[in-house]
């Protein structure tokens, strides 16, 4: 990528816009990642909707920043523009000292989570982020009055280079070494550096005083004559062109968010998912706005149609062709990544082709772009999440992309081959839409009938915390195996047999010979009554362990999960515990609010089976809270079953800090009893319990029966997780 750089005879301040552009955009993402992943995301149970809501916040603020830049650029006086922006810079710099939300902003209830996320973000980084958002378009606007005006759109490509570098630097450079407070202090100091860099730019110190018609120096192309402003007629953008400035980034934004949600739903909300998808999204901006050579319209339109079919038809196309192909997680993930890349190249490439000829309309162009970009987050957060019971926006996005690709592939562009090409394009679009509906029918899986069994979706609800659903399975030849299964997203969080004989037999991760089952059995044998805390409700399976003399507290953050457990399962209604409480909200916060004399015999942590775990429940401060409310001979049992993260060294380190002994229990799959593979970690001071129940590892063997490794496996040298520090990079499987 070649960027114009001033030669030695040019104003040395000409370097500043390039450096400032990268610096500004890097800071846009530098604080966003720790703010979301370390504080806000855990406060809302690790819900992927936090990222979607944050996208809505930042894209909306970006839109307001571009509106401010557009209005400021319209002022006739360059000095007035500078003075206003300098005042804003100083005010934002003063507020930049508080970029980490305090404890007073922590949500106290699960009500209105979207509003709470927006409030936390606005109170912490609102004005500084707004100031950062305004600087990019303003610098580019002021850049158009310099000798390098022809390269102004490359500044936008550079800004996305800065964002991309910040996106990658956080998980691989900053997170493994710095605590949250250190990141906040670094960000504050960096913001002051940013403000100081802005001052000479705002005051115009870097601009060449090149008279109209004089030549200017450009290292990329040599000496180029400057065309006097207004010497050439510059056409005004049409209404259709302006609408495309909004529609194309809106479609790219919708596809970006929908793809991320789709992978979260079909695979898992992996910790690095947003880094991958957002990185691809930013790369397409870098390529398309750097130079036209990177975007070939018909090539990317054709690739888009091919990948639409390949990604949507992973199940159906092999079946239609009579091919027995068992694809895995990697095929799903990479096909979605490839589709996201080509679609964003198509949208952003077409956007760049429609850019204004008159650079005086630059701020208007970016304003329209920001409005379109905000649409994706706005639609998903305020419409889809509120009114859809599934991720229907995915199919909507695919249909719109297919129509755009067909338009680009078959457009005439002044050629006279006429109606035949238009008819072929229209037919291709109709066929593509029909195929997409056939392959992505969101209702097709709700009732599945096979020779040996049937599966029927009984209910499904989507809210801020994701989707929860209940399926009923009936087996033709083995009716005693009929059951109902509770899903949170695509993760099983409980199952109950329908037969009276097996109805209240604990299953999935909670069998009586599982780590949690053994712990509850031991505690019941030792004491006539127990006080038990269960963090994570699911289908309420653990309620089957309760006795009349026991007291059970169920902690759950998702109101829909409580409704489904009560409506479709009778574990709670038939629970024998004399005292039962459902505590709705963040478990850590609710436990902090308990009176000091509230003590439990057993605390069960069961919120970590998904890919996006609530980190704040696994920090030193969290375990100190659990220990405060644990009886001296009590047990903390943690379900660390997770296909994506090795949580064993994390909880082992917490046990050692608390000075508690521990054991773990691995249990293999037992399909007859509906027991899933599970791993539990139990910490306690009860030495008799530890002697009665030694640890059990999973042994991985080769074809000859030789042990290759055992799980769980420790990872020495990891830093202790605290509220100020946590890094998932070392524990990703």
């Amino acid at each position: 990528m070649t960027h114009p750089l001033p030669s030695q005879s040019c104003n040395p301040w000409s370097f500043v816009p390039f450096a400032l552009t990268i610096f500004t955009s890097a800071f846009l993402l530098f604080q966003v990642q720790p703010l979301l992943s370390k504080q806000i995301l855990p406060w809302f149970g690790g819900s992927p909707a936090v990222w979607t809501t944050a996208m809505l916040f930042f894209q909306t603020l970006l839109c307001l920043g571009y509106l401010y830049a557009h209005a400021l650029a319209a002022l006739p006086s360059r000095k007035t523009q500078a003075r206003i922006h300098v005042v804003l810079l100083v005010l934002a710099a003063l507020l930049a000292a508080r970029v980490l939300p305090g404890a007073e902003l922590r949500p106290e209830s699960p009500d209105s989570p979207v509003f709470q996320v927006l409030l936390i973000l606005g109170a912490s980084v609102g004005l500084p982020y707004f100031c950062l958002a305004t600087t990019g378009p303003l610098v580019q606007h002021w850049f158009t009055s310099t000798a390098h005006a022809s390269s102004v759109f490359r500044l936008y490509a550079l800004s996305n280079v800065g964002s991309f570098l910040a996106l990658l630097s956080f998980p691989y450079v900053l997170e493994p070494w710095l605590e949250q407070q250190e990141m906040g202090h670094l960000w504050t100091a960096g913001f002051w550096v940013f403000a100081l860099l802005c001052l000479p730019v705002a005051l115009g110190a870097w601009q060449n005083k090149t008279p109209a018609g004089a030549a200017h120096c450009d290292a990329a192309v040599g000496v180029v004559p400057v065309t006097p402003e207004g010497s050439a007629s510059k056409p005004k953008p049409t209404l259709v062109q302006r609408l495309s400035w909004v529609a194309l980034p809106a479609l790219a934004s919708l596809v970006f968010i929908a793809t991320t949600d789709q992978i979260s739903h079909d695979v898992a909300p992996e910790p690095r998912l947003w880094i991958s998808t957002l990185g691809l999204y930013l790369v397409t901006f870098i390529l398309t706005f750097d130079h036209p050579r990177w975007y070939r319209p018909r090539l990317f339109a054709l690739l888009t149609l091919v990948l639409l079919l390949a990604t949507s038809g992973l199940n159906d196309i092999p079946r239609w062709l009579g091919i027995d192909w068992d694809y895995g997680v990697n095929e799903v993930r990479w096909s979605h990544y490839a589709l996201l890349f080509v679609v964003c190249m198509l949208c952003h490439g077409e956007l760049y082709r429609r850019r204004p000829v008159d650079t005086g309309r630059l701020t208007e162009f970016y304003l329209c772009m920001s409005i379109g970009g905000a649409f994706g987050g706005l639609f998903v957060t305020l419409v889809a999440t509120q009114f859809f019971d599934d991720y229907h926006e995915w199919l909507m996005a695919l249909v719109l992309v297919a129509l755009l690709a067909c338009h680009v592939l078959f457009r005439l562009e002044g050629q006279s081959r006429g109606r035949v090409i238009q008819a072929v394009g229209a037919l291709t679009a109709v066929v593509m839409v029909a195929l997409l509906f056939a392959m992505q029918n969101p209702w097709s899986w709700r009732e599945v009938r096979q020779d040996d069994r049937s599966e029927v979706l009984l209910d499904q609800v989507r809210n801020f915390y994701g989707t929860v659903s209940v399926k009923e399975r009936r087996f033709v030849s083995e009716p005693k195996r009929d059951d109902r299964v509770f899903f949170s997203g695509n993760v099983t969080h409980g199952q109950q047999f329908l037969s009276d004989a097996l109805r209240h037999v604990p299953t999935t991760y909670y069998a009586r010979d599982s780590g949690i089952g053994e712990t509850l059995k031991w505690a019941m044998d030792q004491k006539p009554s127990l006080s038990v805390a269960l963090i994570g409700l699911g289908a309420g399976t653990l309620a089957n362990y309760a006795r009349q003399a026991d007291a059970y507290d169920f902690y759950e953050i998702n109101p829909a999960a409580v409704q489904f457990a009560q409506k479709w399962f009778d574990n709670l209604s038939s629970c024998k515990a004399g005292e039962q409480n459902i505590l709705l909200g963040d478990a850590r916060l609710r436990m902090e609010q308990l009176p000091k004399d509230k003590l439990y015999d057993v605390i069960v942590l069961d919120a970590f089976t998904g890919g996006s775990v609530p980190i704040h429940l696994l920090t030193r401060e969290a375990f100190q809270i659990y220990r405060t409310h644990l009886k001296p001979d009590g047990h903390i049992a943690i379900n660390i079953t997770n296909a994506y993260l090795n949580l064993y060294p994390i909880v082992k380190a917490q046990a050692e800090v608390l000075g508690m002994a521990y054991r773990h229990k691995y249990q293999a799959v037992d399909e007859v009893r509906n027991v899933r593979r599970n791993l539990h970690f139990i910490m306690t001071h009860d030495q008799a319990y530890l002697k009665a129940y030694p640890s059990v590892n999973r042994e991985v063997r080769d074809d000859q029966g030789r042990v290759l490794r055992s799980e769980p496996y420790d990872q020495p040298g990891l830093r202790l997780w605290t509220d100020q520090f946590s890094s998932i990079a070392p524990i990703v499987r």
Side-chain angles (χ1 to χ4, degrees):
M1 185 165 64
T2 304
H3 296 291
L5 297 174
S7 66
Q8 294 180 354
S9 60
C10 292
N11 189 336
W13 284 102
S14 297
F15 285 100
V16 174
F18 297 97
L20 186 60
T21 298
I22 295 179
F23 191 86
T24 301
S25 298
F27 258 62
L28 288 175
L29 276 180
F30 175 74
Q31 184 59 20
V32 170
Q33 295 183 83
L35 180 64
L36 291 177
S37 63
K38 300 296 186 183
Q39 289 193 267
I40 300 178
L41 186 66
W43 286 353
F44 293 91
S47 168
V50 170
W51 292 98
T52 305
T53 307
M55 286 296 297
L56 169 63
F57 174 84
F58 290 116
Q59 288 178 320
T60 301
L61 209 59
L62 192 69
C63 182
L64 294 175
Y66 282 14
L67 178 62
Y68 161 87
H70 180 62
L72 199 65
L75 297 177
S77 172
R78 178 69 173 74
K79 290 183 179 180
T80 302
Q81 296 177 22
R83 289 168 182 166
I84 294 175
H85 196 59
V86 166
V87 170
L88 182 66
L89 283 170
V90 172
L91 181 59
L94 293 175
L95 294 177
R98 184 180 171 81
V99 296
L100 298 177
E104 70 279 1
L105 291 176
R106 187 172 177 176
E108 297 186 359
S109 75
D111 300 330
S112 305
V114 171
F115 173 76
Q116 292 186 54
V117 172
L118 297 177
L119 177 64
I120 294 169
L121 289 171
S124 55
V125 295
L127 186 59
Y129 186 92
F130 174 82
C131 191
L132 285 165
T134 64
T135 302
L138 273 179
V139 168
Q140 292 176 60
H141 167 71
W142 294 331
F143 191 75
T144 59
S145 62
T146 72
H148 306 285
S150 61
S151 303
V152 66
F153 287 104
R154 276 186 165 171
L155 280 180
Y156 189 76
L158 273 178
S159 71
N160 285 283
V161 170
S163 297
F164 184 74
L165 293 175
L167 186 69
L168 295 182
S169 66
F170 170 70
Y172 301 109
V173 179
L174 300 176
E175 185 189 39
W177 302 104
L178 298 180
E179 294 187 353
Q180 178 80 329
Q181 288 291 342
E182 292 172 331
M183 292 185 198
H185 295 326
L186 182 61
W187 194 90
T188 300
F191 192 91
W192 277 97
V193 173
F194 152 78
L196 292 175
L197 278 175
C198 281
L199 290 178
V201 174
L203 298 173
W206 51 282
Q207 291 183 242
N208 289 312
K209 310 302 181 186
T210 308
H216 75 267
C217 57
D218 194 317
V221 296
V223 179
V224 180
V226 176
T227 304
E229 189 70 24
S231 63
S233 176
K234 297 181 179 179
K236 293 183 179 181
T238 64
L239 177 61
V240 173
Q241 187 179 6
R242 285 191 172 98
L243 289 176
S244 70
W245 296 347
V246 176
L248 288 167
L251 180 56
S253 174
L254 179 60
V255 171
F256 156 56
I257 295 176
T259 301
T260 307
D261 285 342
Q262 189 70 14
I263 301 176
S264 298
H265 184 68
D266 286 350
V267 180
E270 296 179 74
R272 303 305 165 91
L273 176 59
W274 276 87
I275 293 177
S276 301
T277 53
L278 182 54
L280 290 171
Y281 180 76
L282 293 173
V283 165
T284 61
F285 270 123
I286 295 170
L287 294 176
T288 54
F289 276 72
D290 172 67
H291 196 281
R293 64 173 169 266
W294 302 118
Y295 172 65
R296 294 291 183 264
R298 286 193 170 86
L299 173 61
F300 279 98
L302 180 61
L303 287 174
T304 296
L305 294 177
V306 171
L307 285 170
L308 277 174
L309 292 175
T311 304
S312 302
L314 281 175
N315 281 318
D316 297 289
I317 292 179
R319 178 169 53 85
W320 293 343
L321 298 176
I323 301 173
D324 185 15
W325 181 49
D326 185 19
Y327 64 87
V329 171
N330 286 330
E331 286 81 359
V332 174
R333 181 189 293 113
W334 287 106
S335 63
H336 282 77
Y337 287 164
L339 178 61
L340 173 63
F341 176 76
V342 297
V343 168
C344 289
M345 282 295 294
L346 183 69
C347 293
H348 296 151
E350 290 297 309
L351 177 65
Y352 183 77
R353 282 168 55 91
R354 291 165 171 79
R355 68 191 183 281
V357 176
D358 183 2
T359 55
R361 297 186 177 274
L362 192 67
T363 54
E364 178 188 358
F365 175 62
Y366 288 136
L367 175 61
C368 291
M369 279 179 55
S370 66
I371 293 173
F375 174 80
L378 186 70
F379 180 80
V380 173
T381 303
L382 301 184
V383 178
T385 302
Q386 302 297 322
F387 300 104
F388 294 171
D389 68 347
D390 207 338
Y391 294 92
H392 299 305
E393 66 270 20
W394 171 245
L395 178 57
M396 295 172 57
L398 296 185
V399 169
L400 293 174
V401 166
L403 296 177
L404 174 63
C406 288
H407 167 72
V408 173
L409 187 61
F410 294 100
R411 66 183 167 197
L412 300 179
E413 294 184 345
Q415 301 175 18
S416 57
R417 286 176 283 178
R419 297 180 179 178
V420 175
I421 292 181
Q422 292 179 349
V424 172
L427 179 60
T428 303
V430 171
V431 171
M432 284 294 303
V433 171
L435 286 173
L436 289 173
F437 269 96
M439 296 184 295
Q440 289 288 310
N441 183 355
W443 296 277
S444 61
W445 62 274
R446 301 189 176 206
E447 184 170 352
V448 179
R449 299 190 180 277
Q450 300 175 349
D451 293 338
D452 61 334
R453 69 178 183 181
S454 64
E455 295 183 5
V456 178
L457 180 72
L458 298 179
D459 202 355
Q460 179 165 298
V461 170
R462 179 181 176 185
N463 63 10
F464 179 86
Y465 300 98
T467 59
V468 292
S469 57
V470 176
K471 272 190 175 183
E472 186 168 283
R473 305 186 301 181
R474 293 191 176 271
F475 298 82
V476 176
S477 58
E478 299 178 276
K480 67 178 182 179
R481 292 183 58 195
D482 295 350
D483 62 9
R484 285 179 181 172
V485 185
F486 181 100
F487 293 95
S488 178
N490 66 334
V491 179
T492 300
H493 277 191
Q495 174 271 345
Q496 184 178 30
F497 286 111
L498 297 180
S499 69
D500 292 336
L502 301 175
R503 194 173 190 85
H504 297 297
V505 174
T507 57
T508 58
Y509 312 103
Y510 320 107
R512 296 193 183 278
D513 52 347
S514 67
I516 284 180
E518 291 174 345
T519 303
L520 287 171
K521 180 180 182 301
W522 171 269
M524 292 163 65
D525 291 342
Q526 305 305 309
K527 298 181 180 180
S529 64
L530 295 177
S531 179
V532 180
L534 305 173
I535 297 177
L537 177 61
T541 304
L542 287 173
N544 292 298
Y545 284 90
R547 303 168 299 184
Q548 177 65 38
D550 296 336
Y552 271 54
D553 288 344
F554 301 91
Y555 292 82
E556 176 58 51
I557 196 171
N558 188 349
V562 176
Q563 296 169 7
F564 273 46
Q566 294 173 333
K567 179 180 179 181
W568 295 108
F569 304 88
D570 66 353
N571 295 314
L572 294 178
S573 61
S574 61
C575 178
K576 297 178 182 178
E579 180 183 344
Q580 302 176 45
N581 298 295
I582 295 179
L583 302 163
L584 196 60
D586 175 65
R588 176 174 165 177
L589 177 62
R590 295 304 304 266
M591 198 168 283
E592 280 181 314
Q593 297 169 343
L594 294 175
K596 296 294 184 182
D597 59 351
K598 176 65 174 179
L599 300 177
Y600 293 107
D601 294 286
V602 180
I603 298 176
V604 179
L605 305 180
D606 184 30
F608 312 115
T609 51
S612 181
V613 302
I615 291 174
H616 73 305
L617 297 180
L618 293 172
T619 65
R620 177 184 60 197
E621 292 80 0
F623 276 90
Q624 288 172 344
I625 295 171
Y626 309 146
R627 185 65 184 87
T628 299
H629 294 287
L630 186 71
K631 293 181 180 179
D633 59 346
H635 302 74
I636 301 176
I638 312 158
N639 182 1
I640 58 173
T641 310
N642 195 290
Y644 307 97
L645 302 174
N646 176 24
L647 295 174
Y648 179 82
I650 303 303
V651 294
K652 176 178 176 287
Q654 299 297 351
E656 292 173 344
V657 168
L658 291 176
M660 301 178 70
Y662 53 86
R663 67 176 287 255
H664 59 267
K665 170 69 180 289
Y666 170 80
Q667 186 176 34
V669 173
D670 187 340
E671 294 183 357
V672 175
R673 296 190 297 152
N674 270 352
V675 172
R676 301 173 67 88
R677 179 185 66 85
N678 60 82
L679 176 63
H680 296 106
F681 185 96
I682 303 94
M683 56 181 73
T684 182
H685 289 296
D686 189 344
Q687 294 297 325
Y689 162 81
L690 296 172
K691 184 177 180 180
Y693 294 104
S695 293
V696 178
N697 289 329
R698 174 196 179 195
E699 292 185 343
V700 181
R701 300 176 179 270
D702 60 15
D703 295 337
Q704 286 74 40
R706 293 172 297 189
V707 177
L708 298 177
R709 66 181 186 277
S710 63
E711 295 180 357
Y713 57 92
D714 198 8
Q715 295 177 241
L718 296 183
R719 286 182 62 179
L720 182 73
W721 279 15
T722 69
D723 285 351
Q724 292 300 318
F725 175 85
S726 60
S727 176
I728 62 172
I731 63 170
V732 174
R733 294 185 186 274

